[in-house]
Structures are given as structure tokens and as C-alpha cells.
Amino acid sequence: MLHMNDNALHTVEARIREQAAAYCASNNVPGFVAGVYHAGEQVVVAHGTANAATGAPMLEDTGFLFGSVTKVLTTTLVLQQVDRGLLDLDTPVVKHLPDFALTAPGAADKILVRHLISHTNGIDADLFFPDVKGRDALKTYVHRLASSCGALFEPGERLSYSNGGMIVAGRLLEVVTGMSFPDLLERDIYAPVGMKNSGTSAEQAILRSTAIGHFPDPRTMAARPTGMFMLPDTWGPAGGTPIGTIADLLAFGRTHLAGGLSPSGARVLSAESTALMQQVSYDMATPNVPPMGLGWVRYPFGDTTVLAMSGASPGGVSILCVVPEHDLVFAAFGNTPGAIVLHDRILQRLLSERLGVRIPTLISEPEKDVDLTPYVGTYRSDQLRIDVRIVDGQLEERTTYEPADESQERIFTEFAGGMTSAPPQRYVPIRPGLFAPAGYPLETFDGYLRLLLVSYHDVRDGRARFRNGGGRLTRRA
């Protein structure tokens, strides 16, 4: 085991290189890049191929889509405006965005700025993909919410991972600063943090080494390149468009380690706002949904908290983890969706071997004779339907995507690699209201993959009102 005072990261570098090579070979992941900053030292490891179509190698400074890691950048931008007195977290969003509305009359009026960045806003827009380009993309997104998307719950009442909330926050930033979201991101995050190789468009990305995503071919399981590089401009603040390198993400993570001071010493965020982002803003008190800060998700590993956000892009997945009490940042990108398992394994190894953190068992032995009937039924959210029934003493879930129109179907299908409905998934009861996908050893869920667990909430008259999978709520139809 490497002890805290052993600062040489070369052992960590060698182990990540070995781990990445083995996982990528056995799971058909073309390429992987990861970096660790710890106590003043930093390493970056690259492996494999950035683009299977061209054979371009994955390099230490290859760029990749941040995906939802962008949500922490967007939240940082919001808190900057709070520091400057342009925004108040407890102000209704409609004060700044009078045209912000949802299909349920009056629902948007109750949403505060804080609800947007703590995923407690209830906006039912997780798969809402308006295909709009250019400077007015976010304005158009907010305008179309009024006729397309409703509310899942009352603001502040529950927690549900919210792309829509972050996109509305991006539009809010445009209105209060008078700048487009991409320009603001470049001026107020990329520049002061020192994210020298980050951009916000495919036009910028093509000028340097950039990875693309891949999906497993259903017939051969070999990785095939994605047909869509990035999501529409409407998804910029939620993670559709920002691109950068591992070194850039490590610099951003270090800024949050250092109370808002960038590695070059520039003040990016006040110490108070940096701390506020890291504090619990909502806790659902269920193992599959870690407590939420502002922007950050707070993963408990025993007594150690890992501030984290992962980010899916078409055929790729990134992650950024910050461990304040151990002065450590970990960032990674793999160019198939399955690379999230490798992210999780490296994170747990860093915690246990590098930092000496004891990772406790999250899920103990399942309870016997759990009544499954409260969870049976149909649950819905925007363009998504989940049918739940009992089969052989387990729950079986069948998930169906129900596109609102042709454009949404095209974007979602490309984003999902051509799959629009998943095969039925069985779940075994762990205890009332908590279920694990069948066939997985329980230790699978000790780390980041606790998100694979499913929970049901608010049982009334013998029926659950909400299902939570991957941090996202669907409501009983």
C-alpha cells in the first residue's frame, strides 16, 4: 500500500496504465485517458485509440467531451454571479426569465435559482432535445419548455437529476451577464482556471487531437464509431458541447480543492461559494442516490466524501472526482459507455491503496419476503415509460422510449447508439423500496456503480408514487 506521505505517483501511474490496458482489451474499449493530482504531484496516462475510424491514438492531451461534468462548471458560473451580486440563490427564476414556463400552469413560478443547480427543480425535461444551433439556442430551449415539458414534483420537494434545470441555469446566466453561454464559459472558467485546451464546439475541436465515442456492435461487440459527435447546442450547459483535456479537468478540480483559487493563483470563486457547492443541499436517504450539493454529487465512502460528476456523451463517458480531505483529484475519459466501470475501479483503488480509505460494504444481505406489490405499475417521465411487474419473486422492468417527434427520436437514437428500448431487466429486492439488478455481486455497488440500484419512494395506499433509477425520478402514471 502507498502511504499518505509517499508522494511519488509513478506507482499509481503504472497501475492505472496496467489496469486500463487490461480492461480496454477485454471489454472492447478503443481508448482511455486518465489523470491524478495528489498533494502537489500530477500524472496523466493515455491508452489506445481516440478514433477507431481514423486510427488516431489517444494521447495525454487528447480532448474529449466533458458531458455532464459540465454541470459543475455551469454551477460554478452561477455562484460567480452570486459572488458579484447579480444573482441570489433564493430568487425565483422567473424574475430574470419572465418567459420561463412549463406545461403545468404556475409550476415554473415556484422554481428558485438554487433549485436549478441542486437538481430539486422538478422540471420534467430529461430527454428534451430541441435541435437548435447558435446564439439563440438556450433562449429557444426555454421558450419551448412551456409547450413541451411539465413538472415531476413541487420544487424543493424531491431530488431528480436534471438536465433541464442546468440548461435553464445556462440561459439565466446569458440574461444576467449579457454574454452567450460559450463565451462566458471561456472567459470566466477556462481562462482563469488555466484550461488552455478547452473549447465549446466541434469547429474548435477539429483543430486539435480530439476523441470520439464508440458503441459496441450488437453482432460482433467490436466498438464502432458514433454517428453523432455531440448533442445540440441547446444542451451546452448540461454537457452537450464543452470539450477539453484531462489536464484541464484536473486544473478545474484543483480550483475547487483550493477554495476557488486556480493553480495559477487566480481567484475563480469565493471560498464561501466553493464551500457552499460542497455542502449537502438535499439528501434522499437512499443508498442509490448520494446526497447532492450544488453541482457536485457527494459520494460517501465510509467517512470520506468524494465530490463527483460523471458525464455521458454519444459513445463516451467522462468523470471528475475531488477528494478535499485528501488533496486529490481524479479525472478520466473512456470512449465507450462501458468505460464507467473502469473509472469506478480506478477510483476505488486510489481511495483504498493511495489514500488508505476503508471502503465499507454498501449493501448487506438482502431481506427475505419483501412485498413487491407496492412497486408494480407504469412510471413515466418526459418521453420515457417504465413498466414494472412481478416475475418469479423479482421485479421485472421494461423501459420504452416514446419520442415526442421525429427530431427528438433521431437525436436520442444517435445518443443511445441506435438502441431505443432496453431488454427487460430483473431486479432482486434488497429491502422494501430498494432493488439491485439481478446477477450482479453485491460488492458491485460499493462504489460509483451504486447508481445501478433502483429505489421506490412515497408509498401511499400500498402504491409507490415514484421510481428512482440512476438518480432520475419517474412518476407513477
Side-chain angles (χ1 to χ4, degrees), residues 62 185 187-188 190 215 236 304 312 331 357 387 421 448:
T62 294
L185 186 63
R187 187 193 75 178
D188 287 1
Y190 291 171
F215 292 98
T304 300
V357 170
D387 293 295
S421 63
Y448 204 83

Side-chain angles (χ1 to χ4, degrees), residues 19-306:
Q19 212 171 346
Y23 184 88
C24 290
S26 59
N27 293 276
N28 295 315
V29 180
F32 185 78
V33 59
V36 179
Y37 165 85
H38 183 216
E41 289 196 86
Q42 187 166 303
V43 293
V44 179
V45 173
H47 171 82
T49 305
N51 182 338
T54 64
M58 187 76 85
L59 305 171
E60 290 176 14
D61 66 347
T62 294
F64 53 88
L65 283 154
F66 291 159
S68 287
V69 171
T70 302
K71 291 180 171 72
V72 190
L73 281 67
T74 299
T75 302
T76 303
L77 286 169
V78 170
L79 269 295
Q80 285 177 344
Q81 310 320 313
V82 173
D83 285 345
R84 292 165 188 168
L86 292 175
L87 280 178
D88 184 311
L89 291 179
D90 294 310
T91 298
V93 175
V94 290
K95 178 187 171 188
H96 301 282
L97 296 180
D99 61 337
F100 171 46
L102 300 170
T103 54
D109 300 352
K110 306 172 197 168
I111 297 175
L112 309 179
V113 175
R114 127 179 0 262
H115 293 143
L116 297 178
I117 54 176
S118 61
H119 299 272
T120 55
N121 50 75
I123 300 169
D124 187 11
D126 221 43
L127 296 177
F128 182 50
F129 296 105
D131 193 9
V132 183
K133 287 184 168 58
R135 192 180 169 100
D136 287 336
L138 304 187
K139 182 180 181 181
T140 304
Y141 180 97
V142 171
H143 176 71
R144 290 191 187 172
L145 279 177
S147 59
S148 303
C149 298
L152 277 169
F153 51 82
E154 289 285 309
E157 181 189 280
R158 302 193 175 279
L159 174 72
S160 184
Y161 185 85
S162 176
N163 289 306
M166 284 292 169
I167 297 168
V168 173
R171 176 59 187 154
L172 179 64
L173 287 165
E174 292 187 332
V175 169
V176 300
T177 65
M179 293 179 70
S180 73
F181 179 80
D183 289 350
L184 186 66
L185 186 63
E186 290 180 351
R187 187 193 75 178
D188 287 1
I189 301 287
Y190 291 171
V193 170
M195 299 170 74
K196 297 184 178 67
N197 292 311
S198 290
T200 56
S201 71
E203 288 83 356
Q204 290 168 318
I206 203 168
L207 299 176
R208 53 185 318 283
S209 170
T210 304
I212 68 162
H214 302 75
F215 292 98
D217 186 292
R219 296 183 307 278
T220 64
M221 295 313 289
R224 57 174 176 79
T226 175
M228 177 174 71
F229 175 56
M230 57 167 47
L231 286 169
D233 289 357
T234 48
W235 271 55
T241 56
I243 302 162
T245 62
I246 287 294
D248 288 348
L249 276 190
L250 291 176
F252 179 76
R254 289 175 62 187
T255 301
H256 279 267
L257 270 184
L261 275 179
S262 78
S264 67
R267 170 63 64 189
V268 178
L269 196 62
S270 70
E272 296 76 19
S273 288
T274 308
L276 184 63
M277 284 178 64
Q278 300 179 15
Q279 292 163 15
V280 176
S281 65
Y282 198 97
D283 186 356
M284 282 188 72
T286 180
N288 57 316
V289 185
M292 180 62 68
L294 296 178
W296 292 113
V297 185
R298 297 171 41 97
Y299 283 80
F301 286 86
D303 297 330
T304 300
T305 296
V306 175

Side-chain angles (χ1 to χ4, degrees), residues 367-376 390 395 429 431-433 435 462:
E367 287 184 24
K368 299 279 188 284
D369 304 321
V370 173
D371 179 12
L372 305 182
T373 53
Y375 318 113
V376 172
I390 300 170
L395 286 187
R431 61 172 191 241
F435 296 82

